[in-house]
Amino acid sequence: MSPDQPTVLVVEDEPAQREVLAYNLEAEGFAVSRAETGDEALLLVREDTPDIIVLDWMLPGVSGIEVCRQVKSRAETRGIPVIMLSARSEEVDRVRGLETGADDYVIKPYSVIELMARVRSQLRRTRPGAVGERLEYEDIILDAETHRVTRDGRALKLGPTEFRLLSTFMEKPGRVWSREQLLDRVWGRDIYVDTRTVDVHIGRLRKALCQYDGSDPVRTVRGAGYALG
Ligand code: CA
């Protein structure tokens, strides 16, 4: 998988439904992990934080509602969008689903196309660069679809690693990223890369961003990492 590919956790106890969902999400370019039970889902969320969770309501053991409640009650996982799937259509269930903090709610049987659209819509908010959105920060524009970056209207030459670094920064301007977090996001956690490599590529990114003068928008935060702005 490419490291900036958005990751989706599918939590569904029916094997056929789980596989159809996973298959379609993979076809859309997502990296998919699967859980059959609520316990397994909670474990996976802790071990390898996904970008979004598609969560069945009715699960054996820990229910989807409880999984959602726990995900939304922890600061580290609260920001992960949760789309709840349910076979029940009663209004009362809908309300309860939303009260647990679910970001969206889809009633079974659902159209896969509709569900994919909802997944993308949630990710447009939380991982805009990863779903091909155009990102803007001051005079910098990054088009994830065409892989073009401009500053003050002029095209910038950027290597693929610098592009992913910039996309990560531009999704959350002001957020301070540690070197380890940048390694996970930009290089992928399966590859061993020395944290000093991050510094090297930050240097290249800075050079690229300032190739037609303009101030350096990347901020070094002593003892913490880097941020855009
Ligand atoms: Ca179920």
Side-chain angles (χ1 to χ4, degrees), residues 123-143:
L123 288 172
R124 228 168 271 135
R125 184 169 58 79
T126 57
R127 292 289 321 275
V131 290
E133 289 291 288
R134 196 176 120 115
L135 304 176
E136 288 192 38
Y137 174 76
E138 293 185 347
D139 57 352
I140 306 168
I141 297 171
L142 180 148
D143 189 327

Side-chain angles (χ1 to χ4, degrees), residues 11 41 43 47 61 73 91 96 103 110 126 130 153 167 169 184-185:
V11 191
L43 193 71
E47 276 180 355
S73 66
E91 195 62 28
R96 278 174 60 205
D103 298 85
Y110 51 83
T126 57
S167 167
F169 281 137
D184 272 0
R185 176 60 74 85

Side-chain angles (χ1 to χ4, degrees), residues 11-14 17 36 56-60 85 87 108:
V11 191
E12 168 66 80
D13 59 315
E14 318 280 339
Q17 290 190 35
E36 294 176 32
D56 185 28
W57 179 303
M58 296 291 281
L59 295 167
L85 306 175
K108 291 182 181 181

